[in-house]
Amino acid sequence: MSATPSDSPPGIALDQKTMDVLVTNIIPTSKYFEVRFDRVQQQIAQLGTSLQRQIANVNDTLQRQIDRINVDLVEFRKDVDKRFEQVDKRFEQVDKRFEQVDKRFEQIDAKLDKLLERIDVKIDAGLRENRAMIIRLFSFTLLFTALSVTGMFAKMFHLF
């Protein structure tokens, strides 16, 4: 491409040497692109190693937290087991007390049975004693009624 005064716009005159300098200084060479590409690759590599370090740090942090949580869970389970052991002991004590209460109720039940037997015996004895008296009173009542009815009939028929 040769630039001639007739090819250039009116008022600007550029010769070949000027055009070559402009093209060389304005349009970068492939070496420029190689340097830029190498720099981008270095930045990507640095970014990759930085990300790998950050991921490793995050993994370490998470692992430490998981380990702490596991330790806390183990301690929590131990505490819960101890509490359940205490509750089991308390239930055993309550069971023993219920057994004692059951024995007391059995004793009270036996005493009530004996008391009821005594009362039953006394009532039966009283009824036997009173039965004879009741029969005497009933006999007396029947005799008195029979005499009254006889007297009433005798008065009605003017026997007396």
Side-chain angles (χ1 to χ4, degrees), residues 97-113:
R97 288 188 181 169
F98 272 118
E99 288 174 5
Q100 292 173 352
V101 169
D102 284 343
K103 289 178 183 177
R104 288 180 186 165
F105 274 119
E106 289 173 3
Q107 292 172 353
I108 289 172
D109 198 26
K111 288 180 182 179
L112 281 175
D113 285 342

Side-chain angles (χ1 to χ4, degrees), residues 23-24 26-35:
V23 168
T24 306
I26 292 175
I27 299 174
T29 61
S30 64
K31 189 172 189 173
Y32 171 80
F33 286 114
E34 287 177 13
V35 168

Side-chain angles (χ1 to χ4, degrees), residues 67-95:
D67 291 342
R68 267 188 267 145
I69 289 171
N70 285 339
V71 167
D72 290 345
L73 281 175
V74 168
E75 290 177 9
F76 178 75
R77 286 179 183 163
K78 287 179 183 177
D79 288 343
V80 168
D81 288 343
K82 287 178 185 177
R83 289 181 184 166
F84 274 115
E85 287 174 5
Q86 291 174 352
V87 168
D88 287 342
K89 288 178 184 176
R90 289 181 184 162
F91 273 117
E92 288 174 5
Q93 291 173 353
V94 169
D95 285 343

Side-chain angles (χ1 to χ4, degrees), residues 15 52 86 125 129:
D15 62 350
Q52 286 176 348
Q86 291 174 352
E129 289 175 12

Side-chain angles (χ1 to χ4, degrees), residues 132-149:
M133 183 178 272
I134 289 171
I135 290 173
R136 281 188 222 133
L137 287 174
F138 186 69
S139 301
F140 174 74
T141 306
L142 285 177
L143 182 63
F144 182 75
T145 304
L147 288 176
S148 297
V149 169

